[in-house]
Amino acid sequence: MSTQPRRDWMDLSSPRPPQERTETSAVSREASRAFAARSGLVTGLARIRSGAARAGNAAAGHLQPVLSVAAAPLRRAAPAWQGAAGRVGAHPLVSRAGEAAKRAGALPWGRALLLAGLGVLGLSALFLAWCAATLPPVSGTPPTPRTLTVQAQDGTPIARRDVARGRAIPLASVSRPMIQAFLAAQDPWFEDGYRLDAAGLAAVIRRSFRDTISDGPRAGGPRLTQRLVRRDIIGTAPGEARSIADRVREAMLVLWLSARESDAQILARALALAPFGPGLVGVDAAARTLFGKEAGDLGTAEAAYLAGLTLAPDLRPDRDVTAIRALGRSVLDGMVMRGKLSAAESAEAGRALDGLSPTGTTPVTRSGFPDLVLAEAAGRLGPDAPREAILRTTLDRDLQAMAEVAVDRRLDAAGRGGTRAGLLVLGPDGSVQAVVAGGTPLADTPEARRAASASLRHLGRDGRPVYDRLVAGPVPAAARRTALLTLLAGLARPPEGAEDPASRDGLFVGPVGDLLVGTYLSGPTAENGAGDGPEALFQDLAAQVAKARPAPVAEAREAARDTARDTGSTGRGASRPAWQNPGERQQAASLRGVPRVIDTGRLRLDGQSVRLAGVEGQGGTLAREFRQYLRRREVTCQPAGGADLYRCRAGDQDLSEVVLFNGAGRAAPGAPPDLQAAEANAKARKAGVWQ
């Protein structure tokens, strides 16, 4: 068999079917189109690269003069860097380190260890960079201003707790005694020379990682700077746990301030950020708030008082007066040690310090009662601190004035030589109605918290009421007496560090009407202490109360005793109610007389507490207006269903309707329609509480 001429060997195959030839042609056409697409893509990319190259060349031509000018300083600095690198590289330690690295790399796992070390160094560098990026501002974090006001029963303020920060004033605007007292309290060696050499840097870093700041000598300037950074800039309280990041930030800020600011600038910054009690920041705010002066007008005694506050910022300036005075005396001793004050000047300032108290200090604030009520109300105020809050308590200003007069009289009679006197009055519900501290403030104990809770009557936050309670539940006589003795023992506790080994203590507890009164006296002699001193103090207060408040309850009890003697019946038999038929109910008798106003919903009539039916009363200004409205008029009260619930009338006027019509109270749930209409009228006129 012969082959056909001009045919390739690859064609020596049997002819394919027409269908197969058609499929092969289609595949070939698809391959051709794909190849053409790839060729177009490659051509397009080549054009883009060539265009980008031309644009880059053009931009480089335009930017070359600018880059040359910018690189000139680098070219000038390059020889210096190269020389420094050469000197470092020629150092024997560097060559040894390089050889050690080579040997370590040749060891098994040596290269892995080197890479791990480099990774640790890299992470450390990142950590330091993060700490530097998250440094707090050196001006400190400004607090949110707020005002908390504690009021007496009639709405009179008895204590204020402000959160304020003073202005950052230059050091020349601060009095010289204040500067020296502050240095004596914070860092007596601040003015000693200090160098930030290798040893100084190591000392700063070492102290930053310690939990306490040493008070010993040879510390130099950075000690005050370290306290400024840790307490006032970072905001770490003494004894509070600190993270590694906080310690690193402290070291960074201490080194930064020490290198960039002078001693005078650091001292001015410390005075502007130092705490002078809870919520009071800066010497400017402390001087104006506590003494009503500018910082440049502070005397030696006042400066020692404020500097003592910086040693214990948790102390309240108007409460812990005795403890702050003791710290102030130690500040005066420090000023004498530094040679800034003579012994005679220190003694004179100490005498002035013994009689010094901040503005607004009263026996009530020194007792700690307002702070206990604030602590009890904190949970009701919510997690967010209010800008303004008002707390009304059961403290009776008239009774408080009587208690203070009685205590002053007894102290004057005892000569005030080491004698302490205290007095506490509890109401029927266990609330505090008068208090005078004889030793230290009331401690935050369960008994004190219960008394503070019973004493809280109204709580307002940012202009809206949060809590309102007109009457607290009565407390059994035994429980009230136990609570009084416990609280009185706390008030009688001598101040810390007091030297009074020969004192005689005495307590006396007794009732005055429906009040329970406890007195305390401590002195170096028996007649001032455990003798009749406490009872004499009690009798003085009881006489004042009897003169100011006639006791109809006592007269009613005496009349009941006379009736029992005349009829020959015993007190127990007279107190038992008569038998009643089923369905009958003993009706309360009507009352008549001139009432004493407790609030706009309560009266005291014939020695009995009377609640106006359908009224939730208010105290303060509205109660005083209600008292003025009655003006000693006679009132008739008829029982209205409850044990002490009455409908009272003064002439032709229903007092419940009068109170609600004038907006002096709110209608109680379930009040009759006529009383609800009176309340609606007051709302429409925006009278009283509806303003």
Side-chain angles (χ1 to χ4, degrees), residues 119 248 323 617:
V248 173

Side-chain angles (χ1 to χ4, degrees), residues 495-541:
E496 187 175 354
E499 297 180 0
D500 195 11
S503 66
R504 298 285 302 276
D505 295 346
L507 299 174
F508 188 88
V509 176
V512 177
D514 59 350
L515 304 175
L516 187 63
V517 180
T519 59
Y520 162 80
L521 203 67
S522 173
T525 58
E527 58 270 18
N528 291 339
D532 60 351
E535 185 176 358
L537 179 58
F538 171 84
Q539 296 296 341
D540 190 343
L541 178 65

Side-chain angles (χ1 to χ4, degrees), residues 169 172-178 283 287-288 291-303 306:
I169 56 179
S173 300
V174 183
S175 68
R176 191 66 183 170
M178 185 67 235
V283 67
R288 288 187 288 107
F291 297 113
K293 294 183 176 181
E294 296 295 329
D297 300 331
L298 293 172
T300 304
E302 297 162 337
L306 294 181

Side-chain angles (χ1 to χ4, degrees), residues 379-510:
R380 297 186 174 95
L381 286 173
D384 299 329
R387 288 188 172 272
E388 183 179 1
I390 296 177
L391 297 87
R392 188 173 301 163
T393 67
T394 57
L395 193 83
D396 190 320
R397 284 200 310 133
D398 296 335
L399 191 60
Q400 177 68 30
M402 299 176 196
E404 293 174 11
V405 169
V407 169
D408 286 339
R409 286 175 181 170
R410 193 60 201 172
L411 290 177
D412 290 338
R416 295 184 181 266
T419 303
R420 301 190 310 273
L423 190 150
L424 182 63
V425 180
L426 296 184
D429 55 358
S431 61
V432 176
Q433 298 199 5
V435 58
V436 178
T440 56
L442 288 166
D444 193 353
T445 60
E447 293 81 10
R449 279 297 185 102
R450 283 194 291 270
S453 178
S455 303
L456 183 60
R457 284 293 184 264
H458 174 78
L459 178 60
R461 173 193 172 100
D462 297 329
R464 58 181 178 85
V466 175
Y467 174 81
D468 202 348
R469 180 175 64 176
L470 298 179
V471 182
V475 177
R480 190 165 55 135
R481 184 181 180 87
T482 301
L484 178 68
L485 289 171
T486 304
L487 296 175
L488 197 62
L491 287 175
R493 190 174 61 253
E496 187 175 354
E499 297 180 0
D500 195 11
S503 66
R504 298 285 302 276
D505 295 346
L507 299 174
F508 188 88
V509 176

Side-chain angles (χ1 to χ4, degrees), residues 586-593 595 601 603 605-606 608-614 634-651 653-656 672 675:
Q586 188 175 8
Q587 298 292 329
S590 61
L591 302 176
R592 186 183 184 91
L603 306 174
L605 188 61
D606 283 346
Q608 183 174 342
S609 179
V610 174
R611 285 192 301 128
L612 298 181
E634 190 176 58
V635 170
T636 303
C637 297
Q638 299 293 335
D644 57 349
L645 202 63
Y646 288 81
R647 291 296 293 263
C648 300
R649 306 184 71 87
Q653 297 294 327
D654 186 292
L655 295 184
S656 298
L675 299 184

